RNA sequence: GGCCGAGUGGCGGAAUGGCAGACGCGGCGGAUUCAAAAUCCGCUGUCCGCAAGGGCGUGCCGGUUCGAGUCCGGCCUCGGCUACCA
């Protein structure tokens, strides 16, 4: 073994040791308190690990190793979320079964993860595509089905013909598929839907009991979108119909000067007069063809008058009924009462179409003198509202809702933005939905006999027959059949039982399914009799710390919480109602900072302040509209001039500096394997933690790893010197205890960057000594081990100890040694530090002030001035205020 | 448009309302070397000054305070998410 720090030797050595020794096996049957530290498991893509992955994984690994050293039994598992489109698309292209591709990708990921020295209990690895796992995912689906939480519905779905599947609303971005950017159209299709809306209030209330980033909780709250208001019925003039609207502002009913129906609203045809019919039908047709993208791009409100009138239930006023696509059929009742004076959207619409605007709320309590220039959406005092005039908005809402209810014209109503969860996909590579249906046929449907599938009579697959496996196919193409890829697997789809024909469900589950409960399986991964045992749930739930990307703030985290609550109701999670107690999002790691210069068509450089984006998104010169091209500039050619970066050889040319996301197309993706080869896993881990706060978005910088590597090298040098067995000098002893305290506190708060900086400081002190004290060196090696575990194990062994350093208790700082006996106090005069005095930590105020005034530099500042005020903040600072 | 977050040296970033710039990168100077790399030592916000020392400095404007990077009010810029949800 080399005497130099050689990561390529020691890292494999210790990884092999940990594997042989089962160092990281989860302790069961101990009395030690538990902690469950979980990473969001990855999708094993063919591209392998990205440097973004190890960021969160290193953070959780540090916490895990720290907790173990503090006596906790820690569950820290890893697995793979392996269903999903890329493996299937690869199968379409190559004919390779997705299971084969998935297996290979998982092997690559596991190898890469192991190279980084994470302390997972690999015996508990979970793969969502493993039939032994799918079995229980299907079992949970049946639980949902039995409880009435999984049902079929004809849903207007987002059908993506290119992908051959239905997409969830959240998988559609700007009218295109999130994956691939293919066009998406709306059409009605039979789908399985999960009744997540039944849990809306609990999903909302549960957020009050968890320690999550406020931004994520806000996003979930907004996604659920609970709003309290009233349902109000407006009669239709000359017809025995009523239009129901939902409003959060029933206090503005007197200001309702028109109604708007969504174009798809069932009453549209009935309220439309013959004179307006042609225009209305044309509008409805064009609205249905408009994609969401088109709707967003045209900011102008559109709509047409139906010719019909409704009657305002509070004052009998005739209000015209319009249709417009700014009212959505999917929310509330698909119809609104429009109050232009107090709703921005209604104001725009009324202004555009010349509809009267009646003010019914004012800040002062008196009607405004001039017409409103914009909608007044805030609360205020009622005006122009008959007997309700003078009421405050909040009280008015309550009162009028009661009055409407008493009159049979309305009632209180709560609405949610949250929709039930469309749970079917028409793909191959997902869990089959374990349901089948009776079939009426006069022959063998597998041979093409005519048949009818009775989808209204779903039958659950008996649990003892689970898992329901996917059939093998030769062709994984999505095809145009909205029943899905599995519909072509006739031998799998149709079967006979007791002489009758049945057909299996051909939809599969979405990728979210497996990740909804993997944290539960990790508790008891080899259980063949149950998805997990009650004992395991009592032992390990909830997840104490969950680390993963903010991109899962809504979907995964909301779906998993929903399933957890259903499982809680089924008595399967003990008393634990929320699965993830503390949640932390690691920030994104961007590519290296790049400098860009612009050139015009002739190739001449153009300073960045002239560049702007035109309506098409192209970069042009704002002076003449000429198209500009961007070129990268090497950092060596860049200098800073004032607030901007400029070209060193021509400072008139300003450059753009930014750190773009890592992406294949930009060619700035950093591969962790390369970094491990060059610098070692310990340096990569420590660097990623040293870059800045865990939650922050931060640019990658390969040069900076060199600094972390140097720190590890110096630690090696220090710790391989023959240590001094004498007690450390006082200052060094105190610094060591302060470092112990700071590193522990910083790990608990997940401030890893400052923990590393503190260890660097101690290491720099020790490096100056020919024979550093053993106590200090050993403390530092133990402190560093969660960050750089291979190096720490090696040094611990070389210091004469038996492995593993993981078994060494975390050092405790001595509270008496983390405060200094003598402190240097800065002395400020009128806010500026003019001198400093050394005093005992608990010196009396009078003594400190006297010493401060005696200081030569301070005295000079006081000369000829009046001392107005003197303040001593014990142990921190002296402030003197002078005048004259 | 809405919500969330962030603006501090050339760069990444530190700072319970109390010494702004810890730690690291980069740069400059030196030691070592035949030379270089690596390593080690020193300096490194900026302006004035030979120096001692002093002025100015945490996006901008104002406020609270003996004292503000930090708290409050109002803006500006950037990033992320979201988007007609009545």
């Amino acid at each position: 073994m080399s005497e130099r720090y050689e990561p390529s030797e020691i890292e494999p050595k210790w990884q092999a040791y940990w594997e042989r020794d089962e160092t990281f096996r989860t302790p069961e049957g101990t009395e030690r308190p538990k902690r469950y530290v979980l990473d969001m498991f990855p999708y094993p893509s063919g591209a392998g690990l990205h440097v973004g992955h190890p960021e969160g994984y290193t953070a959780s690994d540090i916490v895990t190793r720290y907790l173990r050293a503090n006596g906790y039994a820690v569950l820290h598992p890893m697995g793979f979320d392996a269903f999903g489109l890329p493996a299937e698309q690869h199968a379409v292209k190559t004919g390779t079964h997705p299971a084969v591709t998935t297996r290979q990708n998982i092997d690559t990921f596991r190898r890469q993860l192991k190279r980084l020295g994470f302390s997972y209990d690999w015996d508990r690895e979970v793969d969502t595509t493993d039939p032994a796992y799918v079995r229980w995912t299907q079992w949970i689906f049946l639980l949902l089905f039995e409880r009435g939480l999984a049902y079929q519905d004809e849903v207007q779905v987002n059908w993506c013909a290119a992908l051959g599947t239905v997409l969830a609303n959240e998988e559609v971005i700007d009218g295109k598929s999130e994956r691939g950017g293919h066009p998406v159209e709306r059409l009605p299709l039979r789908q399985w839907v999960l009744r997540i809306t039944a849990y809306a209030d609990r999903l909302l209330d549960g957020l009050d009991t968890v320690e999550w980033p406020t931004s994520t909780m806000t996003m979930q709250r907004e996604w659920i979108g609970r709003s309290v208001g009233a349902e109000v019925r407006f009669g239709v003039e000359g017809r025995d119909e009523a239009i129901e609207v939902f409003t959060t502002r029933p206090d503005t009913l007197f200001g309702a000067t028109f109604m708007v129906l969504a174009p798809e609203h069932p009453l549209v045809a009935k309220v439309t007069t013959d004179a307006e019919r042609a225009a209305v039908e044309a509008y409805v047709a064009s609205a249905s063809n408009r994609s969401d993208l088109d709707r967003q791009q045209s900011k102008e409100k559109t709509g047409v008058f139906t010719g019909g009138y409704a009657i305002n239930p509070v004052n009998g006023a005739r209000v015209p009924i319009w249709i417009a696509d700014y009212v959505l059929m999917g929310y509330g009742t698909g119809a609104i009462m429009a109050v232009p004076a107090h709703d921005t959207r209604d104001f725009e619409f009324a202004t555009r179409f010349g509809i009267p605007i009646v003010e019914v709320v004012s800040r002062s309590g008196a009607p405004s003198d001039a017409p409103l220039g914009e909608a007044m959406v805030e609360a205020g005092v009622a005006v122009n509202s008959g007997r309700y005039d003078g009421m405050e908005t909040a009280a008015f809402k309550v009162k009028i809702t009661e009055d409407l209810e008493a009159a049979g014209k309305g009632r209180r109503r709560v609405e949610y933005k949250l929709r039930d969860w469309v749970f079917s996909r028409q793909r191959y590579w997902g869990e089959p939905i374990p349901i089948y249906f009776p079939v009426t046929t006069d022959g063998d449907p597998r041979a093409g006999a005519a048949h009818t599938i009775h989808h209204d009579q779903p039958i659950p697959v008996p649990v003892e027959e689970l898992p329901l496996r996917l059939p093998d196919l030769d062709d994984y193409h999505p095809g145009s059949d909205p029943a899905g890829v599995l519909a072509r697997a006739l031998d799998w789809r149709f079967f006979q039982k007791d002489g009758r024909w049945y057909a299996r469900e051909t939809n599969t589950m979405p990728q979210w399914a497996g990740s909804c409960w993997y944290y539960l399986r990790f508790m008891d991964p080899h259980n063949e009799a149950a998805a997990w045992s009650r004992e395991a749930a009592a032992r390990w739930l909830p997840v104490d710390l969950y680390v993963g990307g903010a991109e899962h703030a809504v979907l995964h985290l909301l779906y998993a919480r929903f399933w957890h609550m259903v499982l809680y109701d089924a008595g399967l999670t003990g008393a634990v109602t929320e699965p993830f107690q503390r949640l932390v999002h690691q920030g994104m790691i961007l590519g290296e900072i790049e400098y860009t210069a612009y050139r015009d068509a002739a190739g001449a450089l153009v300073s960045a302040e002239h560049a702007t984006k035109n309506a098409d998104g192209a970069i042009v010169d704002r002076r003449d509209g000429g198209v500009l091209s961007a070129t990268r500039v090497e950092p060596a050619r860049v200098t800073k001039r004032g607030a901007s970066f400029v070209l060193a050889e021509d400072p008139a040319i300003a450059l753009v500096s930014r750190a773009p996301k890592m992406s294949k197309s930009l060619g700035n993706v950093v591969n962790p394997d390369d970094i491990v080869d060059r610098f070692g896993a310990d340096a990569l881990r420590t660097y990623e933690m040293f870059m800045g706060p865990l939650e922050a978005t931060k640019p990658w910088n390969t040069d900076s790893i060199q600094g972390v590597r140097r720190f590890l090298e110096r630690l090696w040098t220090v710790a391989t010197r023959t240590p001094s067995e004498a007690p450390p000098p006082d200052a060094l002893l105190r610094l060591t205890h302060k470092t112990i305290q700071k590193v522990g506190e910083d790990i608990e708060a997940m401030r890893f960057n400052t923990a590393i900086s503190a260890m660097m400081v101690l290491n720099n002190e020790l490096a100056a000594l020919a024979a550093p004290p053993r106590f200090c060196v050993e403390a530092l090696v133990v402190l560093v081990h969660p960050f750089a575990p291979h190096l720490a194990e090696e040094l611990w062994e070389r210091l004469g100890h038996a492995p593993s350093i993981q078994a060494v208790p975390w050092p405790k700082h001595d509270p008496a040694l983390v405060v200094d006996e003598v402190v240097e106090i800065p002395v400020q005069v009128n806010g500026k530090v003019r001198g400093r005095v050394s005093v005992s930590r608990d010196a009396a105020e009078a003594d400190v002030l006297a010493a401060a005034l005696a200081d030569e530099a301070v005295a000079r500042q006081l000369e000829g001035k009046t001392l107005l005020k003197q303040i001593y903040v014990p142990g921190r600072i002296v402030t003197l205020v002078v005048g004259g």
Side-chain angles (χ1 to χ4, degrees):
Chain A
M1 189 63 65
S2 162
E3 287 310 308
R4 281 187 42 116
Y5 172 46
E6 209 53 78
S8 60
E9 289 176 18
I10 64 171
E11 290 178 356
K13 168 184 165 184
W14 289 102
Q15 285 161 17
Y17 173 84
W18 295 328
E19 192 141 345
R20 206 174 338 109
D21 182 57
E22 299 186 327
T23 311
F24 306 125
R25 169 174 287 247
T26 311
E28 290 282 13
T30 79
E31 292 298 309
R32 286 146 64 195
K34 75 92 184 177
R35 285 287 186 274
Y36 186 172
V37 179
L38 182 65
D39 291 301
M40 288 186 188
F41 65 165
Y43 173 77
S45 73
L49 221 55
H50 179 268
V51 288
H53 286 115
E55 190 190 12
Y57 300 162
T58 302
S60 64
D61 198 56
I62 290 165
V63 172
T64 297
R65 289 170 180 268
Y66 170 78
L67 289 172
R68 287 199 198 104
N70 278 284
Y72 290 94
V74 185
L75 173 55
H76 186 50
M78 181 44 83
F80 301 97
D81 187 18
F83 277 124
L85 273 181
E88 181 168 335
Q89 281 164 338
H90 188 256
V92 169
K93 253 186 268 168
T94 63
T96 316
H97 194 287
V100 174
T101 316
T102 300
R103 172 69 37 217
Q104 289 166 352
N105 291 351
I106 287 177
D107 288 344
T108 302
F109 263 67
R110 191 191 303 104
R111 181 186 58 74
Q112 289 185 304
L113 289 169
K114 286 190 173 183
R115 270 196 92 187
L116 292 167
F118 297 129
S119 64
Y120 298 119
D121 177 356
W122 284 104
D123 278 351
R124 293 183 181 241
E125 178 184 334
V126 148
D127 159 9
T128 55
T129 66
D130 180 349
Y133 185 90
V134 168
R135 174 187 178 191
W136 299 111
T137 307
Q138 291 172 331
W139 178 80
I140 295 171
F141 179 88
L142 292 180
L143 185 83
L144 288 154
F145 177 72
E146 280 159 23
R147 297 184 158 242
L149 296 167
Y151 64 97
Q152 297 172 85
D153 198 9
E154 285 288 321
V155 186
Q156 281 284 342
V157 296
N158 305 298
W159 170 255
C160 178
L163 294 175
T165 191
V166 161
L167 301 173
N169 284 330
E170 46 276 15
E171 291 171 316
V172 182
I173 311 283
D174 293 342
K176 291 186 176 153
S177 63
E178 182 188 21
R179 230 178 240 279
H182 304 292
V184 172
E185 56 182 320
R186 311 273 301 169
L187 44 93
L189 211 58
R190 181 189 64 89
Q191 298 291 309
W192 281 94
V193 183
L194 299 189
R195 210 180 295 279
I196 190 171
T197 53
Y199 283 74
D201 279 324
R202 285 169 65 184
L203 288 166
L204 216 42
D205 294 342
L207 292 172
D208 296 334
T209 70
V210 295
E211 301 154 57
W212 284 20
T214 50
S215 58
T216 301
M217 293 201 285
T218 303
M219 284 169 75
Q220 291 223 344
R221 289 197 180 101
E222 286 178 355
W223 188 265
I224 295 166
R226 183 180 198 263
S227 45
V228 177
E231 172 188 303
V232 184
R233 252 191 315 288
F234 282 63
V236 177
E237 186 184 64
R239 287 193 155 267
D240 192 18
E241 301 278 356
I243 297 173
E244 279 191 354
V245 302
F246 171 71
T247 177
T248 56
R249 294 296 303 273
D251 60 297
T252 61
L253 254 169
F254 286 84
T257 54
F258 60 105
M259 313 273 303
V260 184
L261 304 182
E264 305 86 3
H265 196 283
L267 285 178
V268 169
K270 293 185 182 171
V271 302
T272 300
T273 59
D274 291 339
E276 306 295 336
R277 192 162 305 277
V280 167
E281 283 174 359
Y283 185 81
V284 170
S286 80
S288 70
N289 286 336
R290 275 179 99 189
S291 70
D292 289 348
L293 190 61
D294 292 339
R295 285 197 189 192
Q296 281 177 7
Q297 278 179 344
S298 58
K299 280 187 181 155
E300 282 283 286
K301 295 257 181 306
T302 61
V304 292
F305 177 47
T306 63
Y309 286 85
I311 305 300
N312 189 327
V314 291
N315 59 8
R318 269 177 107 223
V319 289
I321 304 170
W322 290 66
I323 64 170
D325 65 5
Y326 82 90
V327 173
L328 310 173
M329 195 59 222
Y331 182 77
T333 62
I336 62 160
M337 65 174 207
V339 184
H342 305 290
D343 181 283
T344 312
R345 297 150 300 179
D346 298 344
F347 185 92
E348 281 172 28
F349 193 85
T351 306
R352 173 126 199 251
F353 292 101
I355 301 170
I357 295 169
V358 176
E359 181 187 38
V360 292
V361 186
S362 90
R363 287 191 186 86
S364 65
S368 303
D369 303 329
L372 294 175
E374 59 178 359
M376 202 296 271
V377 298
E378 283 124 72
V381 176
V383 296
N384 294 326
S385 294
R387 64 195 176 89
Y388 297 98
D389 278 356
M391 284 190 82
E392 300 269 349
T393 299
F396 189 176
K397 282 186 187 178
V398 174
K399 176 74 173 116
I400 197 161
T401 305
E402 285 167 8
D403 292 352
L404 286 165
E405 183 142 19
K409 291 171 176 171
R411 61 185 178 87
R412 183 176 181 275
R413 176 162 166 169
V414 179
E415 268 296 324
Y416 301 88
K417 278 199 257 184
L418 183 69
R419 301 268 79 93
D420 274 344
W421 173 14
V422 176
F423 196 69
S424 318
R425 298 293 182 272
Q426 292 66 48
R427 306 298 307 208
Y428 174 77
W429 194 228
E431 301 88 344
I433 291 176
I435 293 286
Y436 59 96
F437 307 95
V439 172
T440 309
T441 181
D442 53 5
D444 184 345
R446 294 172 302 181
H451 60 273
T452 307
I453 300 174
H454 299 281
H455 286 118
D456 55 338
Q457 298 167 46
I459 303 165
V461 171
V463 291
E464 57 276 12
E465 288 178 23
L466 299 179
L468 171 60
R469 290 169 185 261
L470 285 165
D472 282 335
L473 295 180
D474 298 324
D475 174 15
Y476 301 94
H477 257 93
S480 55
D481 184 352
V485 176
L486 294 181
R488 297 199 303 267
L490 298 177
D491 290 339
W492 177 87
R493 183 183 192 186
F494 295 102
F495 64 97
Q496 265 182 308
K497 198 157 93 176
D498 305 327
R500 302 189 51 168
W501 281 99
Y502 296 92
R504 295 195 185 281
E505 175 58 65
T506 54
N507 284 307
T508 52
M509 299 187 202
Q511 197 183 347
W512 307 107
S515 59
C516 273
W517 73 283
Y518 74 112
Y519 65 97
L520 295 163
R521 186 65 178 173
F522 277 141
M523 303 186 307
D524 194 7
H526 306 298
N527 196 330
E528 291 183 12
W532 64 88
S533 70
R534 273 154 216 266
E535 294 72 34
R539 171 76 173 139
W540 294 112
L541 286 178
V543 173
D544 296 283
L545 174 65
Y546 195 23
V547 179
E551 65 274 21
H552 295 112
V554 176
L555 303 178
H556 160 62
L557 287 166
L558 193 68
Y559 294 155
R561 292 179 62 223
F562 162 49
W563 278 34
H564 187 94
M565 288 176 186
V566 174
L567 296 165
Y568 168 84
D569 289 347
L572 296 167
T573 69
V576 177
T577 54
E578 282 288 338
F580 313 120
Q581 186 54 37
R582 182 178 174 205
L583 172 72
V584 173
H585 298 305
Q586 79 278 11
M588 204 190 325
I589 295 184
L590 304 173
E592 298 219 21
I593 290 175
E594 292 176 2
Y595 300 94
T596 309
Y598 292 110
R599 284 180 191 281
D600 63 20
L605 288 164
V606 175
S607 190
E609 69 264 20
H610 302 306
T612 187
K613 264 191 186 165
N614 71 6
D616 304 331
I619 295 166
V620 296
D621 191 322
R622 71 171 84 240
R623 295 166 302 183
D624 58 15
V627 175
L628 301 176
S629 60
T631 47
R632 264 188 82 170
V633 178
E634 288 307 310
R637 294 172 56 205
V638 177
T639 185
K640 187 142 183 179
R641 173 70 58 96
S644 56
F645 290 93
V646 299
L647 208 54
E649 66 255 30
D650 183 359
I653 303 298
L655 307 173
V656 176
S657 98
R658 56 185 203 102
K661 285 183 188 178
M662 284 193 191
S663 74
K664 255 190 212 165
S665 58
L666 286 171
N668 61 350
V669 176
V670 178
N671 178 342
D673 275 336
D674 295 343
I675 301 298
V676 173
D677 289 342
R678 286 176 61 193
F679 301 98
D682 285 334
L684 173 60
R685 293 169 56 113
T686 309
Y687 169 64
E688 291 212 7
M689 295 300 98
F690 188 63
M691 291 171 83
L694 180 65
E695 301 84 351
T697 302
K698 39 207 178 283
W700 180 265
N701 180 240
T702 300
D703 281 345
S704 289
I705 302 180
Q706 197 61 253
V708 169
R709 170 67 190 255
R710 273 201 276 268
F711 161 59
L712 300 179
E713 299 261 15
R714 269 200 293 274
L715 176 59
W716 174 276
T717 308
V718 165
T720 53
R721 284 181 188 150
T722 305
S724 156
E725 305 294 340
D730 184 67
L732 192 55
L733 182 67
R734 286 176 190 276
L735 178 63
T736 306
H737 280 272
K738 285 180 197 171
T739 307
I740 291 168
Q741 180 184 29
K742 173 139 185 76
V743 172
E745 286 173 357
D746 281 353
I747 290 176
E748 290 190 21
M750 302 185 78
R751 291 186 302 247
F752 305 110
N753 54 332
T754 50
I756 293 166
S757 139
M759 292 187 288
M760 287 173 166
V761 171
L762 177 58
N763 191 43
N764 288 345
E765 290 296 320
L766 296 176
L769 306 175
R774 178 177 287 275
F775 169 78
C776 304
V777 174
E778 294 196 344
L780 181 55
V781 170
V782 176
L783 293 182
V784 93
H785 99 258
F787 299 82
H790 312 88
L791 171 63
E793 289 276 20
E794 181 68 22
L795 292 175
W796 191 245
E797 186 179 57
R798 286 171 182 246
L799 282 159
H801 302 284
S804 158
I805 197 169
Q806 178 65 91
V808 178
W810 195 256
K812 298 262 176 290
H813 70 273
D814 180 345
L817 291 174
V818 297
V819 284
D820 292 320
E821 291 304 320
V822 174
V823 288
E824 191 174 70
I825 303 289
V827 182
Q828 282 186 350
V829 179
N830 284 358
K832 288 197 169 35
V833 176
R834 299 298 184 178
R836 38 192 85 237
V837 291
S838 281
V839 298
S840 143
R841 173 164 50 91
D842 43 12
E845 175 164 1
D847 296 341
V848 178
L849 290 173
L853 293 169
D855 183 84
E856 199 181 316
V858 173
R860 202 160 48 232
Q861 292 292 328
L862 297 183
E863 233 164 88
K865 304 206 172 122
T866 318
L867 185 59
L868 298 175
K869 203 164 193 174
Q870 32 188 326
I871 298 158
Y872 173 51
V873 182
R876 301 223 66 119
I877 199 166
V878 170
T879 296
L880 304 174
V881 186
V882 298

